[in-house]
Amino acid sequence: MTISTCTPDDLRDPELHASGEVHELWRWMRQHAPVYWHEPGNLPGFWSLTRYDDIRHTYRNPAVFSSAQGVLLRPTALGEDPGSGLTMALTDSPRHRALRGQVADRFTERCARALADEMRSEIRSVVTRAIEKGTCDVVRDIGAQLSSNNIARLLGVEPNDREQLLRWSTEAFESGKPLTSHVPLMRYFIDMMYARMVISTDDAMGMFVNNEVQGDLLTETEVLLGVENLVGASENAGLSIAAGILALASHPQQWQRLTRERDSGFVRTAVEEVLRWSSSATHSMRTATVDTIIQGHRIAAGDRVVLWIPSANRDESVFTEPDRFDLGRQPNRHLALGTGEHVCIGSTMARHQMRMLLETLVELVAAIELAGDMEPLRSITVNGPAFATVRLVAKPTRCG
C-alpha cells in the first residue's frame, strides 16, 4: 500500500499502520483533510482529527467531547463498551475526577520517588539479563517486563506472582480480547479484591475496594474494570519502552549524544522525545455532547470524534522537523500521554521509569544494535513493535 493509492478511509486498516506509511497519509490529511468523516461500516461512523491544535482542543473540552461512551473504536457488532460510565477512562467529571482521586495517591511524584530504589534495582536486573542473553526481544524481555511489574507493584501483586501476571496479561493482549475475558487473570484479581475487603491495604487494589467515590464504595464489577483499565494501560508503557530502545538502535548518533550528555536535565528532555516518537496510543475517541464546529465542519451531537495521536505529535506547525528523532528537542509539548482531565494517570510514574531506564542503559551498555527480525503490531489502537530482536553490548568492566 502506498500513499498514491491510500485514502483517509484506509486509516481503519491495521496493515497501513503496521507499514509505517500511515504517517504519509496523516501528513497529507493535516494539509488537505484535517477533519474527515468516515462512513459507517465494520466500525461506526466517525470524524478523524489529525492536527495538533484540534486534537488538543478536543482533549481539553470534556463538556463538549465526552469520554463516557467509549474512548476506542470498537467493531459495530460488539456494541457499546461495557465499561462506559464505570471506569476512569470512560467517565466524565465529576464522576471521573472522583474515580481518579480514589487511587491518585499511588501515582504521584511522591510515590514515584518512594519507589525509586526498587524500580531502579529492577531496571538494572532486567537490563543485565538482556545483556547476558546476547540477543533479546526488546518487547517481552524489557518493555513488557518493566511495565507489567510496575503496575503489579502499584496494585499490590506479590513479587512471586508478578511473572505469572505478565504471562497472563501477555496472552490476553495477544488474543486481542478484553482482559476481563481471560479467566485465570481475572480470577487472580477477584481473589485479591476479596482479600482487600477483609484486610485493607494502601496499594491501588486496596484503594479501589475501600475508598469511597462520591459517598459509595465501588461495586465488584467497577473494581475489576478499574483494575483492567490500569493493566491495559501498562501495555502502552511497555510499547513506549520497546520503541524507545529501537529508536536508539536506529539512531546511533542520538545514542552517542545520550552517553555524552547524560546529566539529569538532558535525560528528562530525552524522555519526552522518546514518548513523542513512540506515541504508543494510536488513537483516542470522544463523543460530541452538543453540535459544534471544528475547522468549518459541523460535528453533530452524538458523533464520534477520533484523535490520531501520532499525527498530532508530528504536526509540522508545532514541531520543527517532526520526522527527526532528536533527544534534545525543546520545546516538546507532545500529546503522547494525553492532556486535560484525562491525561494518563500513570504519566508521572511512566516518566520516572523511562528516565531510570535511559540512565541504566547509559551506565551498563556500550551499544544498542538491531540483531534480527522485527515485526510491527497490526493495530489501529496501539503502536509499536510486536517483537524485535536487539543486542545490548555490555560496557567493558574496569579492573583494578
Side-chain angles (χ1 to χ4, degrees):
M1 185 178 292
T2 64
I3 189 64
S4 60
T5 60
C6 283
T7 72
D9 285 320
D10 290 315
L11 284 177
R12 296 175 290 196
D13 183 0
E15 291 294 332
L16 177 64
H17 293 264
S19 74
E21 292 177 359
V22 67
H23 285 287
E24 297 179 44
L25 178 56
W26 279 326
R27 186 182 304 114
W28 183 89
M29 291 179 70
R30 288 193 297 270
Q31 296 173 6
H32 303 287
V35 183
Y36 181 87
W37 172 252
H38 302 260
E39 293 293 338
N42 177 48
L43 296 172
F46 64 94
W47 294 94
S48 272
L49 302 186
T50 50
R51 287 182 181 171
Y52 179 98
D53 287 344
D54 295 332
I55 290 173
R56 185 177 185 274
H57 169 77
T58 303
Y59 264 134
R60 298 182 71 85
N61 284 272
V64 177
F65 300 103
S66 169
S67 300
Q69 286 73 48
V71 295
L72 294 175
L73 284 167
R74 288 166 54 86
T76 305
L78 294 180
E80 297 298 322
D81 193 314
S84 294
L86 299 177
T87 70
M88 275 184 284
L90 304 181
T91 47
D92 300 320
S93 286
R95 181 71 174 174
H96 168 76
R97 194 175 298 116
L99 285 168
R100 193 180 182 96
Q102 183 191 32
V103 294
D105 281 352
R106 300 307 299 169
F107 296 90
T108 61
E109 180 78 20
R110 177 180 55 81
C111 185
R113 289 178 177 173
L115 293 172
D117 288 346
E118 183 179 349
M119 291 171 64
R120 192 180 296 278
S121 175
E122 180 180 78
I123 290 168
R124 189 180 185 89
S125 176
V126 167
V127 171
T128 299
R129 287 200 301 271
I131 292 171
E132 291 172 347
K133 286 184 69 173
T135 62
C136 71
D137 174 8
V138 72
V139 179
R140 289 200 182 199
D141 295 332
I142 302 180
Q145 190 83 44
L146 291 177
S147 61
S148 177
N149 284 353
N150 204 33
I151 199 63
R153 180 187 300 112
L154 295 171
L155 283 168
V157 174
E158 293 293 333
N160 290 341
D161 293 339
R162 291 174 189 173
E163 195 65 36
Q164 180 63 69
L165 178 67
L166 172 60
R167 286 195 291 271
W168 283 334
S169 57
T170 299
E171 290 168 6
F173 290 136
E174 288 178 344
S175 73
K177 297 178 181 178
L179 294 181
T180 46
S181 70
H182 196 79
V183 175
L185 178 65
M186 295 316 296
R187 184 178 293 121
Y188 180 87
F189 285 130
I190 289 169
D191 289 343
M192 274 188 73
M193 174 178 67
Y194 288 142
R196 298 303 189 270
M197 291 178 183
V198 176
I199 300 176
S200 181
T201 57
D202 64 355
D203 51 50
M205 178 63 89
M207 292 176 175
F208 274 131
V209 170
N210 296 299
N211 288 4
E212 292 185 354
V213 175
Q214 296 177 310
D216 295 307
L217 294 175
L218 297 186
T219 66
E220 294 175 4
T221 297
E222 288 172 325
V223 169
L224 294 173
L225 286 172
V227 171
E228 180 197 29
N229 191 189
L230 292 182
V231 175
S234 74
E235 181 190 19
N236 284 22
L239 289 172
S240 291
I241 288 170
I245 294 173
L246 287 178
L248 292 171
S250 302
H251 299 82
Q253 290 182 332
Q254 290 299 308
W255 166 248
Q256 291 302 320
R257 185 180 182 187
L258 182 63
T259 63
R260 290 194 309 270
E261 304 179 44
R262 53 190 294 177
D263 65 275
S264 60
F266 184 78
V267 174
R268 284 183 169 84
T269 299
V271 166
E272 299 307 318
E273 180 66 350
V274 168
L275 292 171
R276 181 194 76 90
W277 185 261
S278 59
S279 293
S280 60
T282 305
H283 81 264
S284 191
M285 186 179 73
R286 299 294 186 267
T287 301
T289 60
V290 295
D291 292 355
T292 189
I293 302 293
I294 302 179
Q295 297 286 344
H297 293 268
R298 178 179 174 272
I299 313 298
D303 283 354
R304 294 171 175 85
V305 180
V306 170
L307 320 178
W308 296 105
I309 301 163
S311 178
N313 287 340
R314 297 204 186 187
D315 189 330
E316 304 83 352
S317 70
V318 176
F319 301 96
T320 303
E321 296 183 78
D323 295 323
R324 180 166 60 91
F325 182 59
D326 176 9
L327 293 181
R329 182 180 298 277
Q330 287 184 309
N332 195 347
R333 298 183 296 273
H334 64 80
L335 301 176
L337 300 174
T339 185
E341 282 195 357
H342 277 269
V343 66
C344 175
I345 192 171
S347 59
T348 296
M349 198 68 69
R351 285 183 165 100
H352 273 266
Q353 187 178 53
M354 186 74 76
R355 175 179 57 80
M356 287 186 279
L357 173 62
L358 294 182
E359 290 170 345
T360 302
L361 290 172
V362 168
E363 178 189 355
L364 301 180
V365 175
I368 305 174
E369 301 171 349
L370 300 175
D373 294 337
M374 178 171 64
E375 184 73 25
L377 285 167
R378 285 166 169 76
S379 171
I380 66 169
T381 303
V382 290
N383 169 54
F387 67 85
T389 307
V390 301
R391 179 181 296 107
L392 303 184
V393 180
K395 280 188 172 180
T397 57
R398 295 181 179 179
C399 299

